[in-house]
Amino acid sequence: MNSMTGYGFKEAILENTQISVEIKSVNSRFLDLSINLPAFLNPLEAKIRKRISQEIVRGKIDLNIRVKDMSSTAKVNPDPAAAIMYRDAILKISEALGLKSEIPLSLIINQDGVLNITHQYDAENYWLKIEPVFEEVFERFIEDRKREGENLKVDLLKKLSILENAACFFKEWQPKMEQKFKEQITQRFNELLKDSVDENRIMTEVAAMMVKYTINEEIIRLQSHLCALKKELNENPIPGKRIDFICQETNREINTIGSKNQFIEVGEMVINAKDALENIREQAKNIE
């Protein structure tokens, strides 16, 4: 089980190139991947996106890669023809103005097109330097998510234990409810009819109460949902979406038990169960 929150960072200098890789993530219903690269490395984005998608299913992920060359990659190409045209044009202006000063070389050089500066970037060659740094940071990032995920799992299992205890409590109370209904109805009949109480009439009333307020089916479904939830936590490496769905179904059963309940003891346990379930639902939002 992995958390959707993680972080990894490293800076390194390889072959006169300073490389910085940072990756971080927060919760998201789906995989939301943002990759920030220098423009000349854009050809690498598809490769990096595919690599991350192989390991990550959910989360809003921000990846930042910065590259700085310690030595210049610039290439300067002079254009003598352009320089000559600039010189001749400036001389004509000087003659027209009656000026005879020499033309500084700096004036010619600073004109557009006289010196053309380009940078030679080979994205694949840069990737050979970036890849080992990226892989190390990505591994740290995954381990961070895994570590946090294991902590979440421990907490979720504790909350699940509360729900399992609640389900056992409801099951134990199911026969007690019948007895309490019988006692309440018998007391009412005794108050009204005293010695003329009909036992069959009492049993009929009890049966009617049990049909209306029985929670046996809800208990069975609740236990089934809790078994499914436990299986997801223990066996599914990416249970986030499944947990959310199971919690919705579990909540429905607990609400029904609460609506049918007629006893303080059961009501208190319903509150405990709903509190534990709400904690699980909140934590599930952090799980991949």
Side-chain angles (χ1 to χ4, degrees):
M1 179 186 295
N2 298 321
S3 167
M4 282 192 282
T5 302
Y7 184 79
F9 173 80
K10 184 179 180 180
E11 279 188 339
I13 296 177
L14 298 175
E15 299 179 12
N16 290 324
T17 302
Q18 183 178 348
I19 300 168
S20 169
V21 178
E22 180 186 48
I23 183 169
K24 54 187 177 181
S25 67
V26 293
N27 303 344
S28 177
R29 292 183 63 191
F30 308 100
L31 178 58
D32 181 4
L33 181 54
S34 175
I35 300 176
N36 299 301
L37 300 168
F40 64 89
L41 293 181
N42 283 340
L44 302 177
E45 181 173 341
K47 185 196 302 283
I48 296 172
R49 187 175 294 275
K50 180 180 179 180
R51 176 70 183 94
I52 294 176
S53 300
Q54 289 173 343
E55 301 288 341
I56 307 299
V57 177
R58 295 175 69 200
K60 185 181 186 307
I61 299 174
D62 291 308
L63 172 66
N64 294 285
I65 296 179
R66 298 287 178 264
V67 173
K68 180 179 179 182
D69 287 300
M70 309 301 287
S71 57
S72 177
T73 60
K75 183 178 181 180
V76 181
N77 297 305
D79 188 340
I84 291 171
M85 286 189 290
Y86 277 118
R87 182 203 61 187
D88 293 345
I90 293 172
L91 285 174
K92 286 183 180 180
I93 293 174
S94 296
E95 291 173 359
L97 297 175
L99 302 175
K100 295 184 179 181
S101 59
E102 293 187 4
I103 303 173
L105 179 61
S106 60
L107 178 61
I108 302 297
I109 290 175
N110 287 332
Q111 304 308 309
D112 289 339
V114 175
L115 296 178
N116 298 303
I117 301 175
T118 60
H119 293 270
Q120 295 180 330
Y121 294 118
D122 183 347
E124 290 300 325
N125 186 51
Y126 275 99
W127 177 243
L128 295 177
K129 304 175 186 179
I130 295 170
E131 184 177 19
V133 181
F134 166 77
E135 288 294 339
E136 183 177 341
V137 172
F138 192 42
E139 183 177 347
R140 291 179 186 176
F141 170 73
I142 291 174
E143 285 300 315
D144 194 41
R145 285 165 59 103
K146 183 177 180 181
R147 174 188 54 77
E148 180 63 23
E150 290 303 313
N151 292 334
L152 290 173
K153 181 178 179 179
V154 171
D155 184 63
L156 287 170
L157 288 174
K158 287 180 180 179
K159 298 299 185 294
L160 176 58
S161 178
I162 294 174
L163 287 172
E164 290 173 332
N165 291 335
C168 290
F169 180 87
F170 297 144
K171 186 175 182 180
E172 292 172 0
W173 256 84
Q174 176 65 18
K176 292 181 183 180
M177 290 171 66
E178 182 175 355
Q179 181 61 34
K180 285 186 173 290
F181 284 140
K182 184 176 180 180
E183 291 174 358
Q184 290 175 357
I185 293 172
T186 301
Q187 181 180 355
R188 291 173 187 172
F189 270 87
N190 284 331
E191 291 173 354
L192 294 172
L193 304 176
K194 297 184 180 180
D195 296 334
S196 303
V197 177
D198 183 351
E199 185 66 25
N200 289 331
R201 179 65 184 280
I202 292 175
M203 295 306 298
T204 300
E205 292 294 332
V206 170
M209 291 286 286
M210 290 303 298
V211 169
K212 184 176 181 180
Y213 295 111
T214 184
I215 57 174
N216 185 62
E217 292 183 7
E218 287 78 11
I219 293 171
I220 292 173
R221 287 194 293 267
L222 175 60
Q223 290 177 322
S224 175
H225 296 328
L226 296 182
C227 286
L229 183 56
K230 193 168 190 175
K231 183 177 181 180
E232 291 296 322
L233 291 174
N234 288 322
E235 299 180 14
N236 190 348
I238 48 172
K241 290 184 178 180
R242 287 279 299 167
I243 289 176
D244 185 61
F245 172 75
I246 294 172
C247 283
Q248 291 179 36
E249 298 301 307
T250 303
N251 187 58
R252 183 177 291 111
E253 305 306 331
I254 294 174
N255 281 338
T256 304
I257 291 173
S259 66
K260 289 184 175 183
N261 172 54
Q262 300 294 307
F263 305 100
I264 295 175
E265 296 88 344
V266 176
E268 291 176 347
M269 187 56 71
V270 166
I271 293 173
N272 290 340
K274 288 178 69 67
D275 181 60
L277 182 62
E278 186 61 29
N279 280 313
I280 291 177
R281 294 184 71 175
E282 286 299 317
Q283 290 287 42
K285 296 177 182 178
N286 301 317
I287 298 172
E288 185 178 13

PDB file of all heavy atoms in Angstrom, residues 152-177:
ATOM      1  N   LEU A 152      -0.122   4.459   7.110  1.00  0.00           N
ATOM      2  CA  LEU A 152      -1.569   4.589   6.918  1.00  0.00           C
ATOM      3  C   LEU A 152      -2.261   3.241   7.101  1.00  0.00           C
ATOM      4  O   LEU A 152      -3.348   3.165   7.681  1.00  0.00           O
ATOM      5  CB  LEU A 152      -1.869   5.143   5.524  1.00  0.00           C
ATOM      6  CG  LEU A 152      -1.511   6.605   5.261  1.00  0.00           C
ATOM      7  CD1 LEU A 152      -1.705   6.944   3.786  1.00  0.00           C
ATOM      8  CD2 LEU A 152      -2.349   7.531   6.122  1.00  0.00           C
ATOM      9  N   LYS A 153      -1.628   2.195   6.614  1.00  0.00           N
ATOM     10  CA  LYS A 153      -2.217   0.857   6.722  1.00  0.00           C
ATOM     11  C   LYS A 153      -2.400   0.455   8.181  1.00  0.00           C
ATOM     12  O   LYS A 153      -3.437  -0.116   8.558  1.00  0.00           O
ATOM     13  CB  LYS A 153      -1.334  -0.164   6.001  1.00  0.00           C
ATOM     14  CG  LYS A 153      -1.878  -1.587   6.047  1.00  0.00           C
ATOM     15  CD  LYS A 153      -0.974  -2.541   5.279  1.00  0.00           C
ATOM     16  CE  LYS A 153      -1.502  -3.970   5.356  1.00  0.00           C
ATOM     17  NZ  LYS A 153      -0.641  -4.912   4.601  1.00  0.00           N
ATOM     18  N   VAL A 154      -1.401   0.732   9.010  1.00  0.00           N
ATOM     19  CA  VAL A 154      -1.500   0.412  10.446  1.00  0.00           C
ATOM     20  C   VAL A 154      -2.699   1.123  11.058  1.00  0.00           C
ATOM     21  O   VAL A 154      -3.487   0.530  11.806  1.00  0.00           O
ATOM     22  CB  VAL A 154      -0.196   0.811  11.175  1.00  0.00           C
ATOM     23  CG1 VAL A 154      -0.371   0.688  12.690  1.00  0.00           C
ATOM     24  CG2 VAL A 154       0.953  -0.069  10.719  1.00  0.00           C
ATOM     25  N   ASP A 155      -2.850   2.397  10.732  1.00  0.00           N
ATOM     26  CA  ASP A 155      -3.970   3.165  11.282  1.00  0.00           C
ATOM     27  C   ASP A 155      -5.311   2.649  10.763  1.00  0.00           C
ATOM     28  O   ASP A 155      -6.287   2.544  11.516  1.00  0.00           O
ATOM     29  CB  ASP A 155      -3.796   4.643  10.915  1.00  0.00           C
ATOM     30  CG  ASP A 155      -4.875   5.524  11.546  1.00  0.00           C
ATOM     31  OD1 ASP A 155      -4.918   5.589  12.787  1.00  0.00           O
ATOM     32  OD2 ASP A 155      -5.648   6.129  10.797  1.00  0.00           O
ATOM     33  N   LEU A 156      -5.358   2.308   9.482  1.00  0.00           N
ATOM     34  CA  LEU A 156      -6.604   1.806   8.896  1.00  0.00           C
ATOM     35  C   LEU A 156      -7.023   0.473   9.516  1.00  0.00           C
ATOM     36  O   LEU A 156      -8.210   0.233   9.760  1.00  0.00           O
ATOM     37  CB  LEU A 156      -6.435   1.643   7.379  1.00  0.00           C
ATOM     38  CG  LEU A 156      -6.400   2.936   6.574  1.00  0.00           C
ATOM     39  CD1 LEU A 156      -5.987   2.659   5.138  1.00  0.00           C
ATOM     40  CD2 LEU A 156      -7.740   3.629   6.597  1.00  0.00           C
ATOM     41  N   LEU A 157      -6.062  -0.395   9.786  1.00  0.00           N
ATOM     42  CA  LEU A 157      -6.378  -1.688  10.395  1.00  0.00           C
ATOM     43  C   LEU A 157      -6.908  -1.507  11.824  1.00  0.00           C
ATOM     44  O   LEU A 157      -7.759  -2.277  12.275  1.00  0.00           O
ATOM     45  CB  LEU A 157      -5.147  -2.595  10.383  1.00  0.00           C
ATOM     46  CG  LEU A 157      -4.746  -3.142   9.004  1.00  0.00           C
ATOM     47  CD1 LEU A 157      -3.426  -3.900   9.086  1.00  0.00           C
ATOM     48  CD2 LEU A 157      -5.842  -4.049   8.433  1.00  0.00           C
ATOM     49  N   LYS A 158      -6.408  -0.491  12.511  1.00  0.00           N
ATOM     50  CA  LYS A 158      -6.929  -0.207  13.857  1.00  0.00           C
ATOM     51  C   LYS A 158      -8.396   0.225  13.779  1.00  0.00           C
ATOM     52  O   LYS A 158      -9.227  -0.217  14.571  1.00  0.00           O
ATOM     53  CB  LYS A 158      -6.096   0.899  14.517  1.00  0.00           C
ATOM     54  CG  LYS A 158      -4.708   0.460  14.957  1.00  0.00           C
ATOM     55  CD  LYS A 158      -3.959   1.617  15.610  1.00  0.00           C
ATOM     56  CE  LYS A 158      -2.565   1.191  16.043  1.00  0.00           C
ATOM     57  NZ  LYS A 158      -1.809   2.326  16.652  1.00  0.00           N
ATOM     58  N   LYS A 159      -8.683   1.094  12.818  1.00  0.00           N
ATOM     59  CA  LYS A 159     -10.067   1.549  12.653  1.00  0.00           C
ATOM     60  C   LYS A 159     -10.967   0.413  12.183  1.00  0.00           C
ATOM     61  O   LYS A 159     -12.125   0.305  12.594  1.00  0.00           O
ATOM     62  CB  LYS A 159     -10.122   2.704  11.642  1.00  0.00           C
ATOM     63  CG  LYS A 159      -9.349   3.946  12.042  1.00  0.00           C
ATOM     64  CD  LYS A 159      -9.888   4.533  13.339  1.00  0.00           C
ATOM     65  CE  LYS A 159      -9.216   5.852  13.702  1.00  0.00           C
ATOM     66  NZ  LYS A 159      -7.793   5.695  14.028  1.00  0.00           N
ATOM     67  N   LEU A 160     -10.417  -0.459  11.340  1.00  0.00           N
ATOM     68  CA  LEU A 160     -11.184  -1.616  10.883  1.00  0.00           C
ATOM     69  C   LEU A 160     -11.511  -2.536  12.050  1.00  0.00           C
ATOM     70  O   LEU A 160     -12.609  -3.112  12.118  1.00  0.00           O
ATOM     71  CB  LEU A 160     -10.399  -2.379   9.810  1.00  0.00           C
ATOM     72  CG  LEU A 160     -11.036  -3.670   9.289  1.00  0.00           C
ATOM     73  CD1 LEU A 160     -12.412  -3.396   8.697  1.00  0.00           C
ATOM     74  CD2 LEU A 160     -10.125  -4.322   8.250  1.00  0.00           C
ATOM     75  N   SER A 161     -10.579  -2.673  12.990  1.00  0.00           N
ATOM     76  CA  SER A 161     -10.807  -3.505  14.171  1.00  0.00           C
ATOM     77  C   SER A 161     -11.996  -2.980  14.983  1.00  0.00           C
ATOM     78  O   SER A 161     -12.790  -3.765  15.523  1.00  0.00           O
ATOM     79  CB  SER A 161      -9.542  -3.539  15.034  1.00  0.00           C
ATOM     80  OG  SER A 161      -9.751  -4.303  16.203  1.00  0.00           O
ATOM     81  N   ILE A 162     -12.114  -1.655  15.059  1.00  0.00           N
ATOM     82  CA  ILE A 162     -13.261  -1.059  15.774  1.00  0.00           C
ATOM     83  C   ILE A 162     -14.570  -1.448  15.074  1.00  0.00           C
ATOM     84  O   ILE A 162     -15.559  -1.791  15.721  1.00  0.00           O
ATOM     85  CB  ILE A 162     -13.109   0.467  15.827  1.00  0.00           C
ATOM     86  CG1 ILE A 162     -11.893   0.849  16.685  1.00  0.00           C
ATOM     87  CG2 ILE A 162     -14.381   1.124  16.384  1.00  0.00           C
ATOM     88  CD1 ILE A 162     -11.575   2.338  16.687  1.00  0.00           C
ATOM     89  N   LEU A 163     -14.565  -1.406  13.744  1.00  0.00           N
ATOM     90  CA  LEU A 163     -15.757  -1.777  12.988  1.00  0.00           C
ATOM     91  C   LEU A 163     -16.091  -3.258  13.162  1.00  0.00           C
ATOM     92  O   LEU A 163     -17.265  -3.635  13.268  1.00  0.00           O
ATOM     93  CB  LEU A 163     -15.547  -1.463  11.503  1.00  0.00           C
ATOM     94  CG  LEU A 163     -15.574   0.015  11.112  1.00  0.00           C
ATOM     95  CD1 LEU A 163     -15.168   0.193   9.661  1.00  0.00           C
ATOM     96  CD2 LEU A 163     -16.951   0.608  11.345  1.00  0.00           C
ATOM     97  N   GLU A 164     -15.065  -4.096  13.182  1.00  0.00           N
ATOM     98  CA  GLU A 164     -15.303  -5.530  13.376  1.00  0.00           C
ATOM     99  C   GLU A 164     -15.893  -5.805  14.761  1.00  0.00           C
ATOM    100  O   GLU A 164     -16.793  -6.642  14.905  1.00  0.00           O
ATOM    101  CB  GLU A 164     -13.990  -6.306  13.187  1.00  0.00           C
ATOM    102  CG  GLU A 164     -13.511  -6.341  11.738  1.00  0.00           C
ATOM    103  CD  GLU A 164     -12.146  -6.965  11.578  1.00  0.00           C
ATOM    104  OE1 GLU A 164     -11.336  -6.900  12.548  1.00  0.00           O
ATOM    105  OE2 GLU A 164     -11.856  -7.502  10.504  1.00  0.00           O
ATOM    106  N   ASN A 165     -15.384  -5.100  15.757  1.00  0.00           N
ATOM    107  CA  ASN A 165     -15.946  -5.244  17.108  1.00  0.00           C
ATOM    108  C   ASN A 165     -17.394  -4.776  17.150  1.00  0.00           C
ATOM    109  O   ASN A 165     -18.237  -5.379  17.826  1.00  0.00           O
ATOM    110  CB  ASN A 165     -15.106  -4.447  18.115  1.00  0.00           C
ATOM    111  CG  ASN A 165     -13.733  -5.038  18.331  1.00  0.00           C
ATOM    112  OD1 ASN A 165     -13.523  -6.239  18.123  1.00  0.00           O
ATOM    113  ND2 ASN A 165     -12.783  -4.221  18.743  1.00  0.00           N
ATOM    114  N   ALA A 166     -17.682  -3.700  16.405  1.00  0.00           N
ATOM    115  CA  ALA A 166     -19.055  -3.197  16.357  1.00  0.00           C
ATOM    116  C   ALA A 166     -19.981  -4.221  15.705  1.00  0.00           C
ATOM    117  O   ALA A 166     -21.104  -4.456  16.177  1.00  0.00           O
ATOM    118  CB  ALA A 166     -19.107  -1.879  15.585  1.00  0.00           C
ATOM    119  N   ALA A 167     -19.515  -4.852  14.627  1.00  0.00           N
ATOM    120  CA  ALA A 167     -20.324  -5.870  13.942  1.00  0.00           C
ATOM    121  C   ALA A 167     -20.604  -7.048  14.872  1.00  0.00           C
ATOM    122  O   ALA A 167     -21.727  -7.581  14.903  1.00  0.00           O
ATOM    123  CB  ALA A 167     -19.608  -6.344  12.677  1.00  0.00           C
ATOM    124  N   CYS A 168     -19.589  -7.459  15.638  1.00  0.00           N
ATOM    125  CA  CYS A 168     -19.785  -8.546  16.610  1.00  0.00           C
ATOM    126  C   CYS A 168     -20.780  -8.127  17.698  1.00  0.00           C
ATOM    127  O   CYS A 168     -21.619  -8.938  18.127  1.00  0.00           O
ATOM    128  CB  CYS A 168     -18.449  -8.923  17.244  1.00  0.00           C
ATOM    129  SG  CYS A 168     -17.307  -9.756  16.125  1.00  0.00           S
ATOM    130  N   PHE A 169     -20.686  -6.885  18.124  1.00  0.00           N
ATOM    131  CA  PHE A 169     -21.615  -6.369  19.144  1.00  0.00           C
ATOM    132  C   PHE A 169     -23.058  -6.402  18.620  1.00  0.00           C
ATOM    133  O   PHE A 169     -23.978  -6.834  19.324  1.00  0.00           O
ATOM    134  CB  PHE A 169     -21.219  -4.944  19.522  1.00  0.00           C
ATOM    135  CG  PHE A 169     -22.111  -4.308  20.555  1.00  0.00           C
ATOM    136  CD1 PHE A 169     -21.861  -4.484  21.908  1.00  0.00           C
ATOM    137  CD2 PHE A 169     -23.205  -3.536  20.165  1.00  0.00           C
ATOM    138  CE1 PHE A 169     -22.690  -3.896  22.859  1.00  0.00           C
ATOM    139  CE2 PHE A 169     -24.029  -2.946  21.112  1.00  0.00           C
ATOM    140  CZ  PHE A 169     -23.775  -3.132  22.465  1.00  0.00           C
ATOM    141  N   PHE A 170     -23.242  -5.949  17.371  1.00  0.00           N
ATOM    142  CA  PHE A 170     -24.592  -5.964  16.789  1.00  0.00           C
ATOM    143  C   PHE A 170     -25.125  -7.389  16.694  1.00  0.00           C
ATOM    144  O   PHE A 170     -26.307  -7.638  16.953  1.00  0.00           O
ATOM    145  CB  PHE A 170     -24.570  -5.325  15.394  1.00  0.00           C
ATOM    146  CG  PHE A 170     -24.170  -3.874  15.385  1.00  0.00           C
ATOM    147  CD1 PHE A 170     -23.413  -3.353  14.342  1.00  0.00           C
ATOM    148  CD2 PHE A 170     -24.560  -3.023  16.412  1.00  0.00           C
ATOM    149  CE1 PHE A 170     -23.056  -2.017  14.322  1.00  0.00           C
ATOM    150  CE2 PHE A 170     -24.203  -1.675  16.404  1.00  0.00           C
ATOM    151  CZ  PHE A 170     -23.444  -1.177  15.361  1.00  0.00           C
ATOM    152  N   LYS A 171     -24.252  -8.316  16.323  1.00  0.00           N
ATOM    153  CA  LYS A 171     -24.681  -9.709  16.191  1.00  0.00           C
ATOM    154  C   LYS A 171     -25.077 -10.293  17.544  1.00  0.00           C
ATOM    155  O   LYS A 171     -26.055 -11.038  17.651  1.00  0.00           O
ATOM    156  CB  LYS A 171     -23.551 -10.534  15.571  1.00  0.00           C
ATOM    157  CG  LYS A 171     -23.944 -11.968  15.255  1.00  0.00           C
ATOM    158  CD  LYS A 171     -22.828 -12.699  14.531  1.00  0.00           C
ATOM    159  CE  LYS A 171     -23.252 -14.117  14.170  1.00  0.00           C
ATOM    160  NZ  LYS A 171     -22.183 -14.844  13.454  1.00  0.00           N
ATOM    161  N   GLU A 172     -24.298  -9.955  18.588  1.00  0.00           N
ATOM    162  CA  GLU A 172     -24.617 -10.430  19.937  1.00  0.00           C
ATOM    163  C   GLU A 172     -25.930  -9.833  20.438  1.00  0.00           C
ATOM    164  O   GLU A 172     -26.673 -10.465  21.184  1.00  0.00           O
ATOM    165  CB  GLU A 172     -23.480 -10.073  20.896  1.00  0.00           C
ATOM    166  CG  GLU A 172     -22.190 -10.840  20.635  1.00  0.00           C
ATOM    167  CD  GLU A 172     -21.038 -10.324  21.474  1.00  0.00           C
ATOM    168  OE1 GLU A 172     -21.253  -9.364  22.248  1.00  0.00           O
ATOM    169  OE2 GLU A 172     -19.926 -10.881  21.354  1.00  0.00           O
ATOM    170  N   TRP A 173     -26.205  -8.604  20.012  1.00  0.00           N
ATOM    171  CA  TRP A 173     -27.406  -7.915  20.485  1.00  0.00           C
ATOM    172  C   TRP A 173     -28.665  -8.337  19.746  1.00  0.00           C
ATOM    173  O   TRP A 173     -29.778  -8.078  20.213  1.00  0.00           O
ATOM    174  CB  TRP A 173     -27.223  -6.405  20.373  1.00  0.00           C
ATOM    175  CG  TRP A 173     -26.948  -5.792  21.700  1.00  0.00           C
ATOM    176  CD1 TRP A 173     -25.746  -5.686  22.327  1.00  0.00           C
ATOM    177  CD2 TRP A 173     -27.915  -5.227  22.589  1.00  0.00           C
ATOM    178  NE1 TRP A 173     -25.879  -5.080  23.547  1.00  0.00           N
ATOM    179  CE2 TRP A 173     -27.204  -4.786  23.741  1.00  0.00           C
ATOM    180  CE3 TRP A 173     -29.282  -5.030  22.538  1.00  0.00           C
ATOM    181  CZ2 TRP A 173     -27.819  -4.178  24.819  1.00  0.00           C
ATOM    182  CZ3 TRP A 173     -29.916  -4.422  23.619  1.00  0.00           C
ATOM    183  CH2 TRP A 173     -29.196  -4.013  24.737  1.00  0.00           C
ATOM    184  N   GLN A 174     -28.499  -8.979  18.595  1.00  0.00           N
ATOM    185  CA  GLN A 174     -29.677  -9.374  17.830  1.00  0.00           C
ATOM    186  C   GLN A 174     -30.642 -10.247  18.658  1.00  0.00           C
ATOM    187  O   GLN A 174     -31.831  -9.933  18.740  1.00  0.00           O
ATOM    188  CB  GLN A 174     -29.235 -10.106  16.555  1.00  0.00           C
ATOM    189  CG  GLN A 174     -30.345 -10.672  15.688  1.00  0.00           C
ATOM    190  CD  GLN A 174     -31.222  -9.585  15.091  1.00  0.00           C
ATOM    191  OE1 GLN A 174     -30.846  -8.421  15.036  1.00  0.00           O
ATOM    192  NE2 GLN A 174     -32.407  -9.975  14.646  1.00  0.00           N
ATOM    193  N   PRO A 175     -30.194 -11.322  19.322  1.00  0.00           N
ATOM    194  CA  PRO A 175     -31.124 -12.105  20.159  1.00  0.00           C
ATOM    195  C   PRO A 175     -31.558 -11.346  21.420  1.00  0.00           C
ATOM    196  O   PRO A 175     -32.677 -11.541  21.909  1.00  0.00           O
ATOM    197  CB  PRO A 175     -30.320 -13.360  20.520  1.00  0.00           C
ATOM    198  CG  PRO A 175     -28.885 -12.970  20.359  1.00  0.00           C
ATOM    199  CD  PRO A 175     -28.870 -11.990  19.235  1.00  0.00           C
ATOM    200  N   LYS A 176     -30.687 -10.476  21.932  1.00  0.00           N
ATOM    201  CA  LYS A 176     -31.055  -9.706  23.121  1.00  0.00           C
ATOM    202  C   LYS A 176     -32.214  -8.757  22.803  1.00  0.00           C
ATOM    203  O   LYS A 176     -33.064  -8.494  23.652  1.00  0.00           O
ATOM    204  CB  LYS A 176     -29.862  -8.887  23.619  1.00  0.00           C
ATOM    205  CG  LYS A 176     -28.716  -9.720  24.176  1.00  0.00           C
ATOM    206  CD  LYS A 176     -27.596  -8.795  24.652  1.00  0.00           C
ATOM    207  CE  LYS A 176     -26.403  -9.602  25.153  1.00  0.00           C
ATOM    208  NZ  LYS A 176     -25.308  -8.727  25.607  1.00  0.00           N
ATOM    209  N   MET A 177     -32.217  -8.260  21.557  1.00  0.00           N
ATOM    210  CA  MET A 177     -33.275  -7.344  21.159  1.00  0.00           C
ATOM    211  C   MET A 177     -34.637  -8.036  21.230  1.00  0.00           C
ATOM    212  O   MET A 177     -35.631  -7.451  21.687  1.00  0.00           O
ATOM    213  CB  MET A 177     -33.012  -6.827  19.737  1.00  0.00           C
ATOM    214  CG  MET A 177     -31.822  -5.883  19.637  1.00  0.00           C
ATOM    215  SD  MET A 177     -31.351  -5.493  17.940  1.00  0.00           S
ATOM    216  CE  MET A 177     -32.772  -4.576  17.400  1.00  0.00           C
TER     217      MET A 177
END
